[in-house]
């Protein structure tokens, strides 16, 4: 049900100034046509923008606008999914592209909504703050003419003097921490200003939150690094595998530090229906802060990043890096390294390529290049199974598929280290003339045909860990904003702002008539309770007098509202 | 299988038995609630229409039976009379008395209602032990997958209802509606969503799990109570509107709605419930962001779950704004509250089932 205009008008008339300024919420004004000229229009536009109605609409738009980003793949979250979507929806994708639906949260229209909302917010906060300061400096408004029209009301007759009653009432409400003063024949008191303060703090905190977030985005840096056990890293741009940064970031902003991966350990559920589910991932690292700080060691876990200076180092992925030794036709070691392989499934079936670019000579002593496709099963299930049965190293097997020829690494086209371009490569053949394949256990060697050399899987299978190194300033401010928002909200929603008036007037028969009334802005059952409590207290100081025999209403004010 | 694992399996099966038993007791409670409604319908209640015609006749501005003030006795002196507070509803609001509740003033109905509540308490205790046993079996908080979510969620929702009852709030009318959906929720849990007890993946190993997820479940349960009240408000409001404009509602509507609290009371109740839990929901999202900052390296990823939490938050903010904006009070605000709860539901079922994101739950 909505309050009709006439109701409002009547209420206004009855309460007068007493009901005003109980909040700093802007009045909804009737939509009047703007005055002439640019300034008139600008003022009209500004009024509209900062009205509660438009704030509400913008909020609704913001929530609607956030929906597509959760249903359509986003480049920021998963670029490969976006590519797949593009391939699958040939007609829809260009339309989505035009609308920015693959990056909703940085699209023009989404930005427009929240920028407008925040302009509206600032345009709302500033005048409300001034108004609030004004209310704090002023005094609670005097009692309305007819107290019995207020939401909570009580009255009684007493022998006490009106002045005494007013004094007692003033002392009483002041003790209850009302701001109060005597205005004419009544005490005016008000309490709960923290509600308004909380509301303003909440809305200001939203701005702090947004500014912190936006500046964080602009100054942030975010890169990844894959490290095999034993590898080291120092925080400089060339060391990263992959690096993104905000528009105002400069390389000088990178915190100086270095760390190395000593050991990675993953544990998994060994039995039960969830056999193989990861339990813990831990990376032991040694790190030092600054150019030549003292080395310290620590453990990085999934939920426990390493914090160094401005940066945080997160453990984000892991896998195996078998150590491979390649000998050439003359039996010389031409390659020995741990080769990180990419996991394909939950049981860490992994895939990768061993590339031997120079130094290798075939049986005839001719220069050649080797490319070996590698599949690794940390737990080989036996038989023809090509998938690992468990993520830990229970029965590791490396499957190799060697090729030789031109790897194409010098062709200028960037190449993934995990993929083999076979266009200029020839496979080694086994005795039957088929592609040579070999399954190696740790310590075993695959001989290449015709004395072309050998590939050995060393006993020690290393693990690698992927780290993400993030620097995002402004986190502290964001937290301040968030806490401010919560406390502001709590104050704004739990505290009632209310006014109480106590009027004491001598009636025609010489007996004092006390009237008390309360007015709150929000819907609460507490208001009558509080008023009753105050009344009971005051009643003790100004006890009731017997009713006059004739029940003519006293001229001071209609006591008709009192229940006998 | 080692000994510890065996005890855990044993506890898990105890938990399952308890959950099934609680469903059985909830079903009994459900029938008792039905009986309360059926017997209650015998007594003829027509207060709403009476109150509305009285208002129309004029003069009925003051609510009858305004709360009397309880006053401390003043030092043993004979007390003449104490001031009583007269309450007057805001202008423009209808003065309609609250309905008597499902039992409709009928004694036998009331008895069935009391039985229903006792059964609800029993079922709640059984379900609670089921949840605790589940937690013990997995040696962690019982909210690692949707099955555990559902059982915890309904336990908390019933807990909220019983707490409000214990605080002597006027919420008995919620019973039937709440227990119906609790049964649905549990039914879904034990059939579609069932997951054998299981440890957590490393990303869920964090004390933020306790903070973030427990508040999320609690907020959901309270929002749910708010949503039920909002729906009933909408029905009762149109019922009152119809009466006010001289229409005659159907017999079923009359019988059911007459017994609910006045639309203004329902509206107020829904508002208070939603407003009270909104700061906690804000906290839940912030706690989630802090956790995400530790687990994924970024506070805010626009992951679908985060996005829908944000949408839900904005929707509730809309609702609260609407309540403060003239012209949006009442029904319009109520629709916003329902949309907001719809967002919450979608965030739970829709996002978990249809959308893949970083929030992963084993078994779904
Ligand atoms: C950024 C988006 C905003 C959000 C999330 C938001 C949220 C909220 C919430 C949750 C409340 C409820 C607290 C209460 O009832 O005391 C509230 C109240 C309020 N908001 Fe906003 N708000 C936003 C923007 C704005 C804007 C742009 C304006 C100015 C037009 C505004 C003006 C108000 C006012 C005046 C109140 C207090 C109403 C009252 O006194 O009951 N808000 N806001």
């Amino acid at each position: 049900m909505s309050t009709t205009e006439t109701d409002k008008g009547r209420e206004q008339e009855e309460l007068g100034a007493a009901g005003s300024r109980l909040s700093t919420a802007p009045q909804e004004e009737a939509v009047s046509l703007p005055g002439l000229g640019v300034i008139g229009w600008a003022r009209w536009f500004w009024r509209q923008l900062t009205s509660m109605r438009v704030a509400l609409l913008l909020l609704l738009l913001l929530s609607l606008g956030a929906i597509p980003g959760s249903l359509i793949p986003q480049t920021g979250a998963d670029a490969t999914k976006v590519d797949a979507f593009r391939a699958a929806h040939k007609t829809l994708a260009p339309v989505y592209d035009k609308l920015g639906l693959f990056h909703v949260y940085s699209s023009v229209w989404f930005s427009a909504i929240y920028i407008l909302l925040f302009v509206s917010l600032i345009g709302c906060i500033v005048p409300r703050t001034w108004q609030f300061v004004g209310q704090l400096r002023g005094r609670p408004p005097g009692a309305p003419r007819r107290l019995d029209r207020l939401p909570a009301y009580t009255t009684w007759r007493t022998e006490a003097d009106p002045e005494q009653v007013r004094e007692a009432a003033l002392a009483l409400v002041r003790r209850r921490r009302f701001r109060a003063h005597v205005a004419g024949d009544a005490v005016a008191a008000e309490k709960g200003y923290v509600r308004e303060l909380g509301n303003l703090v909440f809305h200001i905190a939203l701005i702090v939150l947004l500014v912190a977030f936006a500046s964080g985005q602009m100054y942030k840096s975010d890169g990844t690094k894959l490290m095999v056990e034993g590898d080291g890293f120092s925080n400089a741009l060339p060391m990263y595998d992959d690096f993104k940064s905000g528009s105002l970031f400069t390389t000088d902003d990178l915190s100086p530090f270095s760390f190395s991966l000593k050991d990675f350990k993953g544990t998994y559920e060994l039995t039960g229906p969830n056999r193989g589910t990861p339990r813990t991932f831990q990376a032991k690292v040694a790190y030092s802060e600054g150019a030549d700080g003292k080395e310290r060691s620590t453990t990085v876990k999934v939920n426990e990043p390493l914090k160094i200076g401005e940066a945080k180092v997160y453990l984000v992925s892991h896998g195996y890096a078998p150590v491979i030794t390649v000998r050439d036709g003359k039996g010389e070691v031409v390659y020995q390294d741990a080769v990180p392989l990419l996991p394909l499934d939950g049981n860490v079936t992994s895939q990768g390529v061993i590339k031997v670019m120079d130094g290798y000579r075939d049986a005839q002593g001719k220069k050649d290049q080797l490319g070996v496709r590698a599949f690794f099963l940390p737990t080989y299930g036996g038989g023809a199974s090509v998938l690992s049965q468990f993520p830990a190293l229970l029965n590791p097997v490396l499957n190799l598929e060697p090729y030789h020829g031109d790897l194409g690494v010098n062709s200028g086209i960037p190449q993934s280290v995990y993929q083999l371009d076979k266009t200029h490569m020839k496979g080694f053949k086994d005795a039957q003339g088929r592609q040579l394949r070999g399954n190696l256990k740790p310590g075993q060697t695959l001989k290449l045909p015709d004395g072309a050399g050998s590939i050995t899987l060393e006993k020690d299978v290393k693990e690698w860990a992927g780290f993400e190194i993030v620097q995002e300033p402004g986190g502290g401010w964001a937290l301040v904003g968030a806490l401010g928002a919560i406390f502001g909200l709590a104050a704004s929603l739990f505290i009632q702002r209310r006014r109480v008036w106590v009027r004491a007037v001598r009636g025609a028969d010489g007996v004092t008539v006390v009237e008390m009334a309360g007015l709150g802005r929000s819907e609460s059952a507490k208001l009558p309770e509080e008023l009753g409590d105050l009344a009971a207290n005051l009643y003790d100081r100004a006890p009731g007098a017997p009713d006059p025999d004739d029940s003519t209403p006293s001229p001071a004010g209609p006591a008709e509202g009192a229940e006998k | 299988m080692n000994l510890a694992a065996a005890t855990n399996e044993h506890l898990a099966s105890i938990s399952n038995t308890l959950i099934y038993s609680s469903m059985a007791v909830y079903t009994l409670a459900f029938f008792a609630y039905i009986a309360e409604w059926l017997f209650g319908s015998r007594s003829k209640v027509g207060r709403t229409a009476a109150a509305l015609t009285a208002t129309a006749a004029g003069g009925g501005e003051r609510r009858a039976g305004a709360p009397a003030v309880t006053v401390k006795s003043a030092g043993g002196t004979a007390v003449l009379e104490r001031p009583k507070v007269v309450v007057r509803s805001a202008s423009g609001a209808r003065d309609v008395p609250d309905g008597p509740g499902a039992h409709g003033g009928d004694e036998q109905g009331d008895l069935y209602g009391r039985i229903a509540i006792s059964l609800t308490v029993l079922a709640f205790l059984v379900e609670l032990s089921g949840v605790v046993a589940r937690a013990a079996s997995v040696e962690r908080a019982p909210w690692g997958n949707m099955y555990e979510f559902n059982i915890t969620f309904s336990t908390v929702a019933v807990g909220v209802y019983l707490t409000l009852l214990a605080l002597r709030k006027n919420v008995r009318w919620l019973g039937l509606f709440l227990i119906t959906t609790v049964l649905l929720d549990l039914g879904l849990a034990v059939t579609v969503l069932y997951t054998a007890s299981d440890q957590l993946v490393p990303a869920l190993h964090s004390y933020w799990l306790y903070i973030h997820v427990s508040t999320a479940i609690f907020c959901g349960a309270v929002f749910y109570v708010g949503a039920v009240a909002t729906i009933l408000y909408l029905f009762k409001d149109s019922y009152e509107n119809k009466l006010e404009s001289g229409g005659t509602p159907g017999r079923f509507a009359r019988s059911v709605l007459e017994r609910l609290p006045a639309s203004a009371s329902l509206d107020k109740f829904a508002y208070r419930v939603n407003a009270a839990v909104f700061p906690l929901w804000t906290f839940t999202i912030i706690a989630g962001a802090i956790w995400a900052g530790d687990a994924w390296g970024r506070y805010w990823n626009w992951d679908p779950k985060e996005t829908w939490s944000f949408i839900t938050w904005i929707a509730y903010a809309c609702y609260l704004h609407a309540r403060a904006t003239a012209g949006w009070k009442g029904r319009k605000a109520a629709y916003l509250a329902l949309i907001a709860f719809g967002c919450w539901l979608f965030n739970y079922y829709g996002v978990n089932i249809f959308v893949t994101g970083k929030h992963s739950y084993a078994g779904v």
Side-chain angles (χ1 to χ4, degrees):
Chain A
M1 74 215 111
S2 68
T3 315
T4 62
E5 286 309 310
T6 45
D7 282 332
K8 273 198 124 178
R10 207 180 64 202
E11 191 173 23
Q12 215 55 44
E13 198 179 290
E14 281 167 3
L15 293 180
S20 73
R21 300 182 302 146
L22 199 45
S23 100
T24 55
Q27 297 283 314
E28 288 302 317
E29 6 189 346
V31 184
S32 57
L33 277 182
L36 287 180
V38 183
I39 298 181
W41 274 102
R43 186 175 292 155
W44 177 82
F45 180 74
W46 182 249
R47 283 243 179 90
Q48 290 300 307
L49 187 64
T50 55
S51 75
M52 287 287 277
R53 205 179 298 268
V54 171
L56 186 57
L57 277 178
L58 287 171
L59 274 172
L60 273 175
L61 275 179
L62 188 69
S63 57
L64 278 181
I67 294 176
S70 72
L71 304 176
I72 298 168
Q74 300 288 296
T75 34
D78 195 343
T80 48
K81 255 198 201 154
V82 175
D83 293 337
F85 186 91
R86 281 210 172 96
H89 303 85
K90 284 272 183 272
T91 43
L92 212 52
V95 180
Y96 280 15
D97 260 327
K98 277 236 167 61
L99 296 174
L101 288 179
F102 291 120
H103 58 102
V104 166
Y105 308 111
S106 53
S107 69
V108 178
W109 54 270
F110 192 77
S111 313
I113 297 174
Y114 73 76
I115 289 172
L116 269 181
L117 186 59
F118 274 86
V119 171
S120 164
L121 188 53
I122 293 169
C124 184
I125 288 175
V126 173
R128 285 182 61 201
T129 308
W130 287 128
Q131 224 181 320
F132 183 58
V133 170
Q135 291 176 9
L136 282 182
R137 285 182 159 172
R139 297 166 132 195
R145 203 171 46 80
R146 296 196 51 183
L147 285 179
D148 63 324
R149 291 288 185 180
L150 294 179
Y153 173 79
T154 183
T155 184
W156 70 94
R157 292 153 47 85
T158 174
E159 305 284 3
D161 257 9
E163 280 93 71
Q164 271 179 331
V165 175
R166 282 198 289 268
E167 237 165 68
L170 190 65
L172 174 66
V173 290
R174 284 212 170 130
R175 230 178 305 126
R176 301 282 180 93
R177 307 227 258 135
F178 277 81
R179 289 179 71 217
H181 66 117
V182 179
D185 57 4
V187 174
E190 182 165 2
K191 191 175 171 178
Y193 293 86
V194 179
R195 178 207 159 89
E196 214 65 40
L197 183 67
N199 194 274
L200 288 172
V201 166
F202 167 69
H203 285 90
I204 292 169
L206 289 183
I207 295 179
V208 172
L209 202 59
L210 183 86
V211 171
F213 194 68
S215 73
Q217 288 305 100
M218 278 187 267
Y219 286 100
K220 81 180 263 181
S221 68
D222 180 349
T224 55
K225 176 70 181 171
L226 185 153
M227 291 165 77
V228 177
E229 287 164 331
D231 282 0
F233 171 88
S234 67
N235 196 16
L237 216 45
M239 292 293 289
Y240 284 93
D241 296 337
D242 182 31
F243 189 82
K244 283 184 291 197
S245 63
S247 51
L248 296 179
F249 168 86
T250 61
T251 42
D252 296 341
D253 294 334
L254 283 177
S255 285
F257 69 86
S258 58
F259 73 98
S260 59
L261 176 64
K262 296 293 178 212
D263 180 43
F264 176 86
K265 200 161 175 310
T267 58
Y268 309 90
E269 184 78 32
L270 286 169
T271 54
N274 295 288
R275 184 172 182 267
T277 310
R279 287 294 160 247
T280 56
F281 292 132
Q282 299 187 337
K284 280 216 173 69
V285 299
Y287 69 98
S288 60
E289 207 171 334
D292 38 23
K294 215 176 85 205
E295 190 170 271
R296 274 172 288 199
S297 59
T298 186
T299 307
V300 183
K301 296 182 195 159
V302 174
N303 269 313
E304 294 167 29
L306 167 65
K307 294 180 181 125
I308 317 180
E310 295 269 283
K312 284 188 186 172
V313 179
Y314 295 89
L315 175 62
V316 289
S317 54
H318 74 104
Y320 291 101
V323 182
I324 304 290
T325 306
V326 178
R327 293 189 170 77
D328 70 359
K330 284 189 281 180
E332 292 204 25
V333 174
V334 291
Y335 180 96
Q336 184 165 47
D337 211 350
V339 185
L341 304 176
L342 285 189
L344 300 174
D345 62 20
N347 282 329
V348 207
T349 306
S350 313
Q351 180 198 28
V353 177
I354 304 157
K355 292 182 185 178
V356 182
M357 291 176 225
D358 17 60
Y360 173 79
R361 281 160 201 278
D362 64 14
Q364 283 77 42
K366 248 184 42 215
K367 270 194 169 179
D368 205 352
Q369 291 183 327
L370 291 186
V372 186
R373 290 198 13 186
F375 275 94
F376 181 72
L377 315 182
T379 302
Y380 173 57
S385 87
V386 291
L387 292 179
S388 169
Q389 306 297 307
F390 193 75
L393 291 173
L394 298 186
N395 179 23
V397 162
L398 183 69
N399 177 280
L400 295 176
E401 198 179 301
Y403 295 82
H404 66 104
D406 181 7
L407 284 167
V409 279
N410 300 324
S411 62
I413 303 163
Q415 239 191 6
S416 161
V417 290
Y418 303 104
Q419 258 152 18
L420 184 64
D421 177 7
K422 285 190 291 194
T423 23
H424 304 291
M425 310 277 305
K426 279 215 310 264
F428 285 101
K429 300 284 188 275
D430 65 9
Q432 281 83 37
R434 286 178 308 199
Q435 169 66 42
L436 176 71
R437 285 201 176 84
N439 276 349
L440 301 186
K441 293 185 177 218
Q444 291 182 337
T445 298
L446 173 72
K447 282 226 161 7
L448 297 179
D450 310 324
S454 68
I455 306 169
T456 307
L457 171 63
E458 300 297 337
K459 279 228 160 65
D460 174 32
V461 177
K462 290 191 175 181
E463 293 191 59
W464 59 261
F467 292 98
E468 183 162 355
I469 297 127
V470 182
Q471 251 174 269
E472 189 173 353
W477 277 105
L479 191 62
V480 167
L483 291 178
I486 293 178
F487 285 110
L489 249 188
S492 161
L493 288 169
F494 296 146
I495 293 175
Q496 308 289 336
R497 186 158 167 202
R498 67 272 191 197
R499 292 183 180 148
V500 167
W501 290 279
V502 185
R503 172 175 281 143
V505 189
R506 199 178 294 284
D509 56 356
V511 177
T512 304
V513 176
V514 184
E515 284 184 291
M516 291 181 74
L519 175 68
R521 206 187 56 88
S522 33
E523 315 134 73
S524 168
K526 295 233 177 66
L527 182 72
E529 263 169 47
E530 186 178 37
L531 189 76
D533 193 33
L534 285 171
N537 243 297
L538 190 59
Y539 189 83
D540 287 345
R541 257 153 261 250
D547 265 336
D549 303 328
D550 57 330
S551 50
T552 42
S554 59
E560 69 193 36
E563 279 199 347
K564 298 288 149 76
Chain B
M1 193 183 297
N2 57 24
L3 194 64
T7 28
N8 288 358
E9 301 254 311
H10 185 57
L11 274 170
S13 81
I14 290 182
S15 162
N16 290 354
T17 314
L18 285 168
I19 295 294
Y20 275 101
S21 316
S22 78
M23 285 178 73
V25 185
Y26 276 129
T27 312
L28 291 179
F30 174 79
F31 286 121
Y33 281 117
I34 297 273
E36 179 186 18
W37 280 93
L38 285 179
F39 280 97
S41 71
R42 280 213 216 118
S43 66
K44 287 283 159 277
V45 268
R47 307 163 171 230
T48 310
L52 286 171
T53 36
T55 317
E61 263 184 338
R62 235 152 258 122
R63 187 182 289 197
V69 186
T70 43
V71 183
K72 293 175 298 185
S73 99
T77 38
V79 180
L80 297 172
E81 57 182 53
R82 291 302 192 183
K84 290 200 176 141
V85 173
V86 179
V87 185
R88 183 172 173 273
S89 46
S91 60
R94 275 188 293 249
D95 261 322
V96 174
D98 287 343
H103 52 78
D106 181 280
E107 239 172 68
Q108 205 167 358
D110 184 48
L111 180 66
Y112 280 112
R114 284 169 194 279
I115 292 174
I117 289 171
S118 317
L119 286 171
T120 308
V121 172
L122 179 64
F124 168 74
L125 292 178
V126 174
E127 192 186 6
L128 186 66
S129 2
V131 172
V132 171
R134 174 81 179 192
S137 84
V138 288
E139 293 166 28
R140 58 168 168 78
W143 38 66
N145 51 53
M146 281 184 78
Y147 168 72
E148 294 173 2
F149 262 134
N150 267 39
I151 58 173
T152 313
F153 177 76
S154 53
T155 313
V156 175
V158 176
V160 168
Y161 168 65
L162 293 176
T163 309
L164 289 174
L165 269 183
L167 293 174
R168 313 222 152 269
K169 304 277 182 217
N170 171 18
V171 289
R172 220 175 114 179
W173 43 271
L174 260 172
L176 178 63
F177 308 97
L178 186 72
I179 298 309
T180 311
T181 36
V182 162
L183 277 173
L184 269 175
D185 168 273
L186 283 176
L188 264 182
V190 297
T191 53
V192 186
L193 303 174
Y194 184 75
T195 318
S197 56
D198 170 27
Q199 303 288 306
L200 294 180
V201 294
L204 291 177
H205 281 295
S206 166
Y207 57 89
W208 285 108
L209 171 78
Y210 291 86
I211 301 172
H212 171 69
V213 183
S214 63
T215 52
I217 292 177
F218 182 76
C219 289
V222 177
F223 280 142
Y224 175 65
V225 170
V228 173
T230 306
I231 293 174
L232 295 180
Y233 156 74
L234 285 172
F235 280 113
K236 180 83 182 213
D237 183 53
S238 38
Y239 172 74
E240 286 174 9
N241 280 339
K242 200 162 187 183
L243 279 178
E244 205 171 28
S245 59
T248 24
R251 263 191 49 216
F252 181 71
R254 177 172 284 252
S255 166
V256 170
L257 296 172
E258 195 58 57
R259 287 183 259 167
L260 292 178
S263 67
S265 308
L266 286 169
D267 188 35
K268 232 181 252 180
F269 175 74
Y271 168 74
R272 283 206 206 121
V273 163
N274 286 332
V277 82
F278 185 75
L280 191 66
W281 180 241
T282 312
F283 171 77
T284 303
I285 294 179
I286 289 166
I290 294 174
W291 185 11
D294 281 353
W296 303 329
R298 222 152 304 141
Y299 294 101
W300 198 262
N301 296 279
W302 291 109
D303 162 79
K305 197 108 204 157
E306 282 175 339
T307 306
W308 277 93
S309 299
F310 173 75
I311 294 170
T312 309
W313 186 75
I314 292 282
Y316 275 108
C318 277
Y319 166 69
L320 293 178
H321 260 216
R323 301 276 312 200
T325 311
W328 272 82
K329 290 197 170 107
R331 296 190 75 90
K332 277 194 205 164
Y335 292 134
L336 280 179
L338 288 185
I339 290 173
F341 185 71
C343 292
W344 196 91
L345 267 190
F346 183 77
N347 195 13
Y348 180 44
Y349 287 107
V351 174
N352 281 13
I353 294 169
F354 304 122
V355 189
T356 53
K358 290 192 176 202
H359 280 77
S360 57
Y361 302 102
V364 177

